[in-house]
Structure formats: C-alpha cells, structure tokens
Amino acid sequence: MSIREETLKILEENRGADVSGAEIARRLGVSRSAVWKAVSALKADGHTILAGTNRGYCLAAESGALSVPEIQKYLKTPCTLVLKKAVTSTNDVAKDLAEEGAAEWTVVIAREQTAGKGRQGRQFYSPADTGIYMSIVLRPAFPPAQALLITTAAAVAVAQALEQLGCPDPAIKWVNDVYSGGKKVCGILTEGAFDFESGRFRYAVLGIGINLSAPAGGFPGELREKAGAAFAAGEPLKNRLAAAVIDNFARFYAALPEKPHLALYRQRSMLTGKTVLIPGPKGERTAQALGIDDDFRLLVASPDGTREALSSGEVSVKLFQ
C-alpha cells in the first residue's frame, strides 16, 4: 500500500478520534511531512479529515468520499470491493477481471468514468465525485435469455436504496433507468459473455451509474434537461448508498429466476398509463403504456386499439411531450 492508503487505514481504524501526525509517521516509518502530504491528498480525494494544532488528524464520523472500509461497514453481502479513482468504464474493468477468473460478487467502484457506457452505444456522463459508478461481476446459473432479470432487479434495488436514504419518489422508466423529480438519476447496463456450446453464461457484468449530486455548473448540453441528481451536494451518502444497492440486489439475485422483484417493478413503473413515443422504421408513433407483463415487456396500445408487448431489445421508448 502507498503512504496515502496506509494513512487512510490508520485514520479509518480511529474514525472520529484524533491521531497525531507523529504517531502515524512512527507507525509507517516515514516523516511527518510525508504524513501531511498523504492527508492533503486524502482531502483532495474527498475525505473529510479534521486537523488542529496539538490535536493531530481525525477522520470525520461519516466521510463524503468513497472508501472500501466505509462501504464494508454498511454492507451485509460478502463481496470483494475494488475501488478506483478513475477508469474508462467500470464495466470494462469488471469484464477484464471476469475474464481473468474473478469470483462472483467482485464489485468495481470508481469515483469517475471517462467513457461511461449507456444502452445502445450511448455514453453515461460520469464526472468525478458526484456519483457512484459500479459494476458487479456475476456468474449466473440461469440462461442468457433471462439476462433482463438482472437489469430489472437492479432497477428496483437502486430505487429502493434511493428511497431508503431519502430520495423522493424514485421511479423506473422501462427498462433500465431510475428517475426522481422527472429527471434521470440512474442508468443500468448489463453486459456479459456466454459459452456457445453450453448456451450458458460465462459471466455477466451489471453496471450501475447513479447521479448522487449535480456537478459544479450543472449538467452539460442536452443533459441539462434530462439528467438530475438524487440528493443535494455535500450529502455524505456515497458509501451507505453503494452498500444498500448491493444488498438490495443480492436479495433479488438469490432467487432471480422466480422474479421476486416483478410486483415491485410494476409498482414503480413511471410509464404505466402514460402516452409514449415508440421509434420505428417509418418514424415515431404514439401509444399508451398499459403496464409490464410477466416477462418485463412493456404492454402498449396503439390509437387504433392494437395491443403489443415491446421487448427491451427491440425499442426504447420515451414519454410523449
């Protein structure tokens, strides 16, 4: 471990209590100047560290920065947590780890993504320190045809976690987005690899990106009208929220083929009863969203009364404005 990581470990062990710079330096076998530099770097990373003359350093009872020990403090699901400062995409890192044999429930979490992924090749805006960007390595026993169960269970897990921590009325926009206050606060992308001979998953990677707070200056460009934040800036919720999402999803995943989250998904569907636009080869058409069927397809009725069930792999819909 680096001096910074070792210093954080000591402060974590004594969270809420003062530890002198001299004591940290003695334990690490470094100079007090090196400790000061390490603490400065930790503050720059977002850790709330209080310091004072003749007091030493104190890690606040609840820090705003992502931290493996802090997540583990709230986490009930056995996981291997891999925390990164910045990555291109947590899904890419998780897929590399899965290819190398990483165990199920290896969770990659990053403070920033430089090339975050969304559905249909879109990019997920992932600035530093304003969100939670995580990917979970899974090794499902059920067939790839049921992969949608992973995405939909994650949507419910995120909505529940946001609500548990005080986000108002989180709802699911079919199939993989979570909204609050009329704006998107979370996107979910499931990717994977499977064996053609057995027809089974080699692995799946569940990617979740949550806008915890708005970036300085707001969201850029066209995102300004679409993207929102689940909480106000400065709320020290990252670690609790990461743990809650993982734990909520783990409960569903344990019995996923039985669809334990279906009723909850239906209850939180924000499209049901609304008029939606459906893209097609001849342009967009309107329909009324009737609900979610047992296979998580969106049931819609056209103006002429024709009813159909839309697959998430066929179209993406948007609310009619």
Side-chain angles (χ1 to χ4, degrees), residues 113-314:
Q113 294 183 120
T114 57
K117 294 182 177 182
R119 287 184 71 235
Q120 299 180 340
R122 300 187 186 94
Q123 187 170 6
F124 187 85
Y125 183 60
S126 317
D129 299 322
T130 63
I132 296 174
Y133 319 114
M134 71 166 78
S135 294
I136 305 172
V137 175
L138 303 169
R139 298 196 180 272
F142 49 83
Q146 293 182 296
L148 187 60
L149 297 180
I150 297 173
T151 302
T152 51
V156 177
V158 169
Q160 287 182 328
L162 290 173
E163 189 170 65
Q164 288 162 3
L165 294 180
C167 176
D169 302 321
I172 299 168
K173 178 180 175 290
W174 182 84
V175 63
N176 67 324
D177 294 331
V178 179
Y179 275 59
S180 178
K183 293 192 173 183
K184 178 178 173 178
V185 298
C186 171
I188 297 164
L189 177 65
T190 302
E191 299 181 287
F194 62 95
D195 187 301
F196 283 95
E197 291 186 2
S198 67
R200 312 292 290 183
F201 274 111
R202 287 175 46 226
Y203 64 81
V205 167
L206 168 62
I208 299 171
I210 304 172
N211 300 329
L212 198 68
S213 59
F219 290 95
E222 63 179 20
L223 289 180
R224 195 176 298 271
E225 297 300 319
K226 301 176 181 178
F231 302 99
E235 292 285 349
L237 297 171
K238 289 189 180 76
N239 298 295
R240 279 191 286 165
L241 183 59
V245 170
I246 294 169
D247 283 339
N248 289 348
F249 176 73
R251 288 196 300 272
F252 296 133
Y253 186 72
L256 207 51
E258 283 71 53
K259 305 174 186 175
H261 60 296
L262 177 58
L264 296 170
Y265 190 95
R266 284 171 169 159
Q267 290 171 12
R268 292 186 182 273
S269 172
M270 64 180 284
L271 295 186
T272 301
K274 304 288 180 61
T275 299
V276 297
L277 286 174
I278 305 171
K282 297 182 179 180
E284 293 182 326
R285 58 191 174 92
T286 62
Q288 184 180 31
L290 304 176
I292 306 296
D293 76 2
D294 289 349
D295 294 315
F296 292 93
R297 295 178 300 179
L298 182 66
L299 300 172
V300 299
S302 299
D304 64 4
T306 302
R307 297 190 177 199
E308 60 184 314
L310 303 180
S311 166
S312 64
E314 296 171 353

Side-chain angles (χ1 to χ4, degrees), residues 41-72:
L42 290 170
K43 287 182 177 179
D45 283 346
H47 294 280
T48 305
I49 300 175
L50 310 177
T53 305
N54 300 322
R55 284 181 46 201
Y57 304 107
C58 173
L59 187 63
E62 188 158 11
S63 178
L66 285 166
S67 161
V68 169
E70 186 74 1
I71 295 171
Q72 289 174 329

